[in-house]
Amino acid sequence: MRKNEQSIQRCVTVSTVQKILGGKWKIEILYYIGMQNIHRFGELRRHVGEITESSLTKQLRELESDGFLHRHDFKELPPRVEYTLTDLGKSFMPVLEVIRQWGEANLK
Amino acid sequence: MRKNEQSIQRCVTVSTVQKILGGKWKIEILYYIGMQNIHRFGELRRHVGEITESSLTKQLRELESDGFLHRHDFKELPPRVEYTLTDLGKSFMPVLEVIRQWGEANLK
DNA sequence: CCGTATCCCCTAAGATACTG
DNA sequence: CAGTATCTTAGGGGATACGG
């Protein structure tokens, strides 16, 4: 049964999620920070795929300005910076877990 | 509490999902086909953002070869082609719904 | 109506060098 | 350690024209 044209719901939401989290490493970064408790820049660089420093910086800054991450600079020497989830970031964790579980079950 | 390096779980799954569904229009296409019952090429072109014909074709072909869609050519004139979800595609719908609901609640 | 076939362009991401 | 500053590059996506 086909819906008529009037009843079709636009999906700004879905495309917005794509726009915000479509970056090559975004959800992987959120996964490591939120689900694996990895918070420091260097740790992330070692764990997130083959990402380069400049790309990691860029994606972190974008996630920060989109409200998913908080950046805490401890102002120590040697430098120490930790990235943690904001409330928005935390709210996304259940979604990420659903994605992960689906992948585990269907992408082998 | 920090996990030690040994206990950190790689997340091939999450990055694989990104790789497969990271295309600019992929999840939106799946949304229209699976949740709004839009199956024909022309309908999709009218509803999916500002996508061009060539891009739509490409993304549909990729979703097909990744096992999310089935392409049914009715061999009629004028041509009639319908895209439907495979079992894998159907299995992804609950995930998509979770994404959509999260977006509705958090991206206003 | 449902596509192909070309050509083109932009920008996300990478490579590399350097710094407080 | 955690970046910044440049420069370069690949390829995803767009524009357009054409075809069965």
Side-chain angles (χ1 to χ4, degrees):
Chain A
M1 179 165 40
R2 176 81 38 77
K3 296 197 177 193
N4 66 43
E5 299 275 326
Q6 308 300 19
S7 71
I8 289 170
Q9 293 172 26
R10 300 241 151 248
C11 194
V12 194
T13 300
V14 167
S15 54
T16 304
V17 174
Q18 147 66 29
K19 215 173 289 176
I20 297 177
L21 298 175
K24 186 170 175 181
W25 308 103
K26 294 271 176 73
I27 56 176
E28 206 174 337
I29 289 170
L30 290 176
Y31 169 82
Y32 280 116
I33 295 176
M35 320 248 291
Q36 296 294 327
N37 297 311
I38 297 180
H39 300 291
R40 299 191 56 173
F41 185 88
E43 287 181 300
L44 286 167
R45 188 186 45 202
R46 284 194 300 280
H47 287 97
V48 179
E50 298 296 301
I51 197 170
T52 59
E53 287 185 350
S54 48
S55 296
L56 180 56
T57 299
K58 197 179 167 220
Q59 306 250 323
L60 285 170
R61 292 288 187 278
E62 287 173 9
L63 285 169
E64 192 190 357
S65 78
D66 283 332
F68 287 82
L69 295 182
H70 180 246
R71 179 176 182 275
H72 185 200
D73 187 343
F74 287 85
K75 314 262 185 202
E76 297 175 355
L77 275 177
R80 180 180 165 211
V81 177
E82 292 197 355
Y83 294 89
T84 51
L85 296 180
T86 59
D87 286 344
L88 179 65
K90 287 175 191 166
S91 78
F92 188 70
M93 288 303 104
V95 182
L96 194 46
E97 179 58 13
V98 168
I99 292 174
R100 195 192 63 74
Q101 283 178 10
W102 175 83
E104 291 290 329
N106 296 283
L107 295 181
K108 296 303 176 184
Chain B
M1 177 167 41
R2 176 79 40 78
K3 297 200 175 191
N4 66 43
E5 299 274 327
Q6 308 300 19
S7 71
I8 290 168
Q9 293 172 27
R10 298 243 152 246
C11 194
V12 195
T13 300
V14 167
S15 54
T16 305
V17 174
Q18 148 65 31
K19 214 172 290 176
I20 297 177
L21 298 175
K24 186 170 176 183
W25 309 102
K26 294 271 176 73
I27 56 175
E28 206 174 337
I29 289 170
L30 289 176
Y31 170 83
Y32 280 116
I33 295 176
M35 320 249 289
Q36 295 293 328
N37 298 313
I38 296 180
H39 300 293
R40 298 191 58 173
F41 186 87
E43 285 182 300
L44 287 168
R45 188 187 46 201
R46 284 193 300 278
H47 287 96
V48 179
E50 297 297 301
I51 196 170
T52 58
E53 289 185 350
S54 48
S55 295
L56 180 55
T57 300
K58 198 179 166 218
Q59 305 250 322
L60 286 170
R61 292 288 186 278
E62 287 173 9
L63 285 170
E64 191 190 357
S65 78
D66 282 332
F68 286 81
L69 296 182
H70 180 246
R71 178 175 183 274
H72 185 199
D73 186 343
F74 286 86
K75 314 265 184 199
E76 296 174 356
L77 276 177
R80 179 180 166 212
V81 176
E82 292 199 354
Y83 294 88
T84 51
L85 297 181
T86 59
D87 286 344
L88 180 64
K90 287 175 191 165
S91 78
F92 187 70
M93 288 303 103
V95 182
L96 194 45
E97 179 59 14
V98 168
I99 293 174
R100 195 193 62 76
Q101 283 179 11
W102 175 84
E104 291 291 328
N106 295 283
L107 295 181
K108 296 303 175 184

